[in-house]
Amino acid sequence: MNPLDLAGARPGPAFTVTFDGRQIEALPGQTVAAALWAAGITSWRTTRRTGRPRGIFCGIGVCFDCLVTVNGRPNQRACLVPVHSGDVIRTQEGTGHED
Amino acid sequence: MRTDLAVIGAGPAGLAAALAAAAYGLRVTILDAAPAPGGQFYRQPAAGLRAGRPQALHHQWRTWERLRDALAACDAEILTDHHVWAVECGFTVHALHGPGRQESAAVRAEAVLLATGGYEKVLPFPGWTLPGVVTAGGAQAMLKSALVVPGRRAVVAGTGPLLLPVATGLAAAGAEVAALVESADPKAFVRHIRALAAKAPEGAGYAARLLRHRIRFLARHTVVRAHGEHTLTGVTVAALDSGGRVRPGSERHIPCDTLAVGHGMLPHTDLAESLGCRLDGHTVRVDGEQRTDVPGVWAAGEATGIGGATLALAEGHIAGRSIAARLRSREPDPREWTAAATVRGRLRTVARGMDAVYSPPPSWTEQITDDTVVCRCEEVTAASVRRAVGELGAGDLRTVKLLTRAGMGWCQGRMCAPAVAGVAGCELTSSTRPFARPVPLGVLARQHEDTTEEGAS
Ligand SMILES: Cc1cc2nc3c(=O)[nH]c(=O)nc-3n(C[C@H](O)[C@H](O)[C@H](O)COP(=O)(O)OP(=O)(O)OC[C@H]3O[C@@H](n4cnc5c(N)ncnc54)[C@H](O)[C@@H]3O)c2cc1C
Ligand code: FES
């Protein structure tokens, strides 16, 4: 069983957002991190010093590992930010201010 | 905005306190960072997902229904999506809210209850920064609030009672759970059987669920390494001997794309510390009424010691009653909360027993290679921490931090402090942080203008 069926979820219609230019589907009520996980994506940041990939770690807004660029704004915590139709989500390189 | 009591945290502790105080006619305002009340334990699927059966992901759902209905029926005000970043003496509670958390709100109150809960402790091991490695509580939080699982095949590892609901929860939600790797020794339960007897039925329930989902339970085992280049591909687990050391030759590889890992919990104490409340080790010190040693400030739930949702409810209830009496200049009568005090006493004993059973293996630092990152934010390796101690003579956590930058990044050491202290071989001391949450500079500047204006008038 998948988690949506387990909880008897009947979410409103899915919408699309882009992640690094590719279209993915998201559900109303999801955070950016949840939408990315649901699309099978687990990393969306590279670290400042060594360029290593990162994604969710604590899942509750404490660790800042999940930083991401949403609609041009870097350093958003993907585990807290709600996803909206048409959002442009990009892998954040370093501090997100380099480009 | 003015209120009698500001409750920070809408988990079991904060909600029980708010209900008890409101029943005595106090004006109560509850602030919580989350989009809905419930805290970690009663975390709800997001409203937009319209879950018809949210209880499938919870135990003790009836208790939540009672709390939720009582909250709706009383006139306590609840401010969700409010991130409290400071509490000024006197008291003014400052919170950020709104899109991008750029707006600031201030609540003035006669009394404050800190019911801020805790967060998970994770000790490092080679590979723990790979995407796919998540905290056990984090996997649980993502599942409960967003109805998502991180991958297809998971290993749940570390130590502590939280691993059981996480492993069975992930399995119920469709992930294949290849193993639950618990470093504690089942014999330790026998040694603490008197304190833990009350936990036996719950334990039996989880044992049945592990069997039903065919989850292999590897007791007295630990994860020694997570493998993968850009994402997790598997873990190496090993057996521990009676001294808690890795048994040479016992290593085996388990392929997986998710590792949910945790080594217990740490209380959120930033606000308590900035108010000057005394701590006992890492927890806020409270008396029998849940009062801190700062007049007007109470604390309840995991902030005063890790012990589960039922203990948090009992402590919150006592705090709420005590606050109601004290704000009316009445000496509270502890007979008003005899039942809650009995539960509190019993569950604190259980919590001590759990602590004794579930402690990370003493040899965990031996597994940490020099190139293992210990501070995730600043990417400080074990080698630099060891150098700070060995060559530069650092003897305490603060000096290690200054020499290596460990704990100076975004999370302000919340994630790495136990790791850095362990690798450095020094005591884990709490680090006072100026703000409980990151604050935009603009908000701080406005705050300053407001205070100067007030001072001038
Ligand atoms: C990620 C995670 C998952 C967990 N999952 C389970 C589980 O599945 N089963 C189980 O038995 N136990 C679980 N626990 C343990 C459980 O949380 C506790 O036993 C119980 O919820 C404690 O209640 P509490 O009221 O003390 O704190 P919590 O329930 O943690 O509530 C604290 C509340 O305070 C809020 N808060 C904290 N700081 C601030 C601030 N500065 N500003 C605004 N709001 C703030 C938080 O948003 C939170 O809602 C989990 C813990 C964590 C950290
Ligand atoms: S995953 Fe830790 S802050 Fe988002």
Side-chain angles (χ1 to χ4, degrees), chain A residues 1 3 5-11 28-29 34 37 43 47-50 52-54 56-58 60 62-65 80, chain B residues 43 46 48-53 56 101 131 133-135 138 142 146-147 150 173-174 229-230 376 378-379 410-411 415 438:
Chain A
M1 199 181 288
D5 290 342
L6 178 67
R10 285 174 295 105
W37 265 17
S43 106
T47 60
R48 271 179 303 161
R49 284 166 212 275
T50 57
R52 302 295 299 157
R54 297 277 175 90
I56 283 282
F57 185 58
C58 76
I60 59 166
V62 180
C63 75
F64 292 83
D65 250 24
L80 298 182
Chain B
R43 191 180 266 273
L49 293 168
R50 302 199 304 146
R53 255 191 332 271
R101 283 181 254 302
V133 180
V134 295
T135 68
M142 293 284 288
L147 305 178
E229 188 52 39
H230 297 290
R376 301 174 69 95
E378 293 293 311
E379 302 182 83
W410 273 100
C411 90
M415 285 293 140

Side-chain angles (χ1 to χ4, degrees), chain B residues 92-232:
Chain B
T92 309
V93 179
H94 295 281
L96 296 168
H97 64 108
R101 283 181 254 302
Q102 301 287 324
E103 286 155 58
S104 175
V107 176
R108 280 166 218 267
E110 302 296 314
V112 173
L113 172 74
L114 304 172
T116 44
Y119 60 97
E120 218 168 358
K121 173 168 101 183
V122 183
L123 299 172
F125 46 86
W128 76 310
T129 54
L130 277 168
V133 180
V134 295
T135 68
Q140 181 82 335
M142 293 284 288
L143 175 58
K144 281 184 176 178
S145 62
L147 305 178
V148 287
V149 288
R152 291 172 196 280
R153 192 164 201 262
V155 168
V156 178
T159 190
L162 184 57
L163 302 186
L164 290 163
V166 173
T168 52
L170 286 174
E176 180 195 348
V177 179
L180 198 174
V181 182
E182 165 60 66
S183 64
D185 185 344
K187 285 200 212 93
F189 280 95
V190 183
R191 283 199 294 277
H192 295 89
I193 194 74
R194 284 183 55 164
L196 297 174
K199 281 275 160 191
E202 205 181 316
Y206 279 120
R209 263 171 275 173
L210 291 177
L211 264 177
R212 178 156 19 105
H213 292 296
R214 296 175 200 283
I215 301 173
R216 230 180 338 159
F217 187 80
L218 299 173
R220 237 166 75 189
H221 274 67
T222 191
V223 167
V224 290
R225 180 179 279 276
H227 303 274
E229 188 52 39
H230 297 290
T231 184
L232 183 72

Side-chain angles (χ1 to χ4, degrees), chain B residues 21 31 44 81 99-100 130 151 175 195 208 243 250 266 279 282 293 295 309 331 337 340 348 361 378-379 391 432 456:
Chain B
L31 299 99
Q44 312 294 311
D81 183 30
L130 277 168
S250 70
L266 288 168
L279 301 195
H282 303 289
D293 63 348
E331 189 72 23
W337 60 69
R348 280 187 182 164
E378 293 293 311
E379 302 182 83
E391 288 169 28
T432 315

